[in-house]
Structures are given as structure tokens and as C-alpha cells.
Amino acid sequence: MAPETSFTPLSALIGGGMIGLAATLLMLSLGRIAGISGILAGAITPAGTDRGWRIAFLAGLLAPGLVLAAIGKAPPVSFVAGTQLLILAGLLVGFGTRLGSGCTSGHGVCGLARLSPRSLVAVVSFMAAGFVTVGILRHVAGGF
Amino acid sequence: MRKLLAAFLIGSLFGGGLIISGMTNPAKVQNFLDLFGQWDPSLAFVMGGALAVTLIGFRLVLRRPAPLDADRFELPGTKELTPSLVIGSVLFGIGWGLAGLCPGPALAVIPLAPGPAAVFLVGLLGGVLGHDAWQRRRG
């Protein structure tokens, strides 16, 4: 049985607001879309460009977790999938976000704000696939 | 230097938002995707909160002739709805559902759960590099 999580609308709104503010500030400062899959790919692939700010941004992404872990205030994190499933999922996320030109942040937070039809199609596609996948895992396959 | 510092601080704000919102907890993400089970609608509020800011923020920022620390805005120019867009997004959604992680939270959660995060990231990097190698071979 999967761990239950409680409905947390306030922290969700505050955290979401911070994500939106970060995306807005990245556009204001560097003129870039805050799409994590794109920033990561540009930092690590042979064809990548502008690695400096990308690596600085990714290092920043890790910083809050490092601080929370250091002061012993780490929030709950429960992984349900095991090793093999995590690798398979990672492959799908890596390949899929490259082929589909973006993920939850680039298409969701930034693309929808620009009213991009491509991003709307992407968000509907990955949300639908996510709902169906968890539905099958939990209610058909009977796994977690 | 100013560019790098800005990128680091903005990345930290983004990462903090991911943690506070609960996106770094795979069980919570999967519960959001479990519409017909123990549904936790919180993540809809994450997207809502983020979009409320970017919908207004992008409008204000993009009125400027240029960003503060770069020569121009780099916005995606493609408008076409392609099979790749849909197929890629569906594959991403399947992986997102299987693990309960998308790329941002997978990085932000490294210090909180290094083991499983590293396993997922090995797959993710393999997928990214595999895709790019495949694209190069296709020419």
C-alpha cells in the first residue's frame, strides 16, 4: 500500500509561488526559460552551450536540500519504486523530456504562461500518461 | 560573475519551492496522479501557484527590450505540433508516474535521499544522452 499523504494546499501554493517567482527572475536576469530538463541537458551533453550559468543554477537547486539535511530539518521523502523501476523511469523521463522538448517546469510553469499551444499539448500528454500509469500500477497491476 | 551568482540564487529559490511544495516527495506526486485512489490534489495548487506568478511575471518582464544580464530573450521559436512532442511527453509522463519524480525534484532531492535519487538520475542521464546520440545518428 502506498504511503498516504495529506492535502497541503497552503504549502503547495507557497512553494508553487516560489517556483513561479524563480522562473520569472530567470527570464528577467538571463532571458531564459526555467526548464530543468533543458538546463540539465545543456549542461551535460556534448552539444551543450553556456554551461556556466546552467551549472550554477543546478547547484542552486541542490542548495536548499543540503541546508535542510545539515540542520536536521529534512522533510519526508518516500520512494515507492525499487531500483529497477527507478532506472526504467529515469530512462523514460530523460529520453521523453528531450524528445518532447521539456518537462513539468519548461512546458508547465513557463510554456503555459506564454500561452504556447505546444506546451499545452505537452502538459495534457504527460499529465494523462501520468494518471494512466499510476492508475494501472495501483489498480490493475496491484503494485504499490 | 553576476550572471553565475544570479543563476545560483534563482536555482536555490526554485529548489526551495520544490521542497516546500512537496514535489520532492515521490509518494505525494504519485498520490496526486492516483485520481481514482488516495488522491492528494496538492500538486494542482503547486502548478496553480507557479502559473499565477509566471502568467503576470512573464508579461511584465517580456515588455523589456532585453534581460538584465544577457543580450536578448531566448524563447523557443517552434510552433509546430509534432508527433515527437506528443510521444516524448507521453514517455515522460509514464516515467513520472512510475517513479513520482520529474527532473527538477530529482535534482533537489539528492541531499535528502541520495541513494534512490542517484539511481533515478543514472537512468535520466542515460535517457538524455541516449536520445541525443540517437538524434545525431539520424542526422
Side-chain angles (χ1 to χ4, degrees):
Chain A
M1 193 63 193
E4 285 191 31
T5 52
S6 46
F7 177 45
T8 49
L10 190 61
S11 54
L13 270 178
I14 293 170
M18 288 167 67
I19 294 168
L21 184 60
T24 303
L25 290 174
L26 191 67
M27 187 60 77
L28 175 64
S29 169
L30 300 181
R32 296 287 187 146
I33 296 281
I36 309 300
S37 56
I39 293 175
L40 178 65
I44 60 160
T45 56
T49 52
D50 293 329
R51 285 183 218 274
W53 74 267
R54 295 173 188 275
I55 291 168
F57 180 92
L58 297 172
L61 209 51
L62 298 189
L66 277 174
V67 172
L68 289 173
I71 61 173
K73 301 263 186 207
V77 172
S78 12
F79 277 81
V80 183
T83 301
Q84 288 168 352
L85 204 53
L86 279 177
I87 293 215
L88 173 67
L91 281 169
L92 288 166
V93 170
F95 190 91
T97 51
R98 289 302 282 156
L99 187 63
S101 314
C103 60
T104 353
S105 48
H107 279 312
V109 176
C110 299
L112 291 185
R114 295 175 56 234
L115 308 178
S116 153
R118 267 175 67 83
S119 289
L120 181 62
V121 168
V123 171
V124 169
S125 304
F126 67 66
M127 295 283 296
F131 285 129
V132 170
T133 301
V134 173
I136 291 176
L137 265 180
R138 288 190 174 173
H139 307 293
V140 180
F144 52 90
Chain B
M1 202 55 215
R2 184 188 145 95
K3 245 172 119 161
L4 294 186
L5 184 64
F8 178 81
L9 293 175
I10 294 167
S12 305
L13 180 63
F14 200 109
L18 288 172
I19 292 176
I20 290 174
S21 66
M23 293 286 298
T24 48
N25 186 0
K28 195 167 179 71
V29 174
Q30 287 179 321
N31 285 344
F32 169 69
L33 293 173
D34 191 8
L35 267 187
F36 304 104
Q38 48 194 37
W39 192 45
D40 175 354
S42 306
L43 295 202
F45 288 70
V46 181
M47 187 53 97
L51 268 177
V53 177
T54 48
L55 268 168
I56 299 167
F58 275 22
R59 247 151 217 77
L60 295 176
V61 167
L62 292 173
R63 274 189 204 160
R64 300 174 49 88
L68 294 175
D69 307 305
D71 298 334
R72 58 196 157 89
F73 292 107
E74 306 262 355
L75 301 172
T78 329
K79 297 259 186 293
E80 256 181 297
L81 301 176
T82 57
S84 296
L85 177 74
V86 177
I87 296 168
S89 298
V90 166
L91 294 177
F92 160 47
I94 295 172
W96 188 38
L98 289 177
L101 278 179
C102 51
L107 292 165
V109 82
I110 293 174
L112 305 175
V119 170
F120 179 81
L121 283 166
V122 166
L124 192 153
L125 297 185
V128 168
L129 294 170
H131 171 271
D132 286 25
W134 172 65
Q135 287 291 5
R136 274 198 306 278
R137 277 187 51 179
R138 286 205 320 175

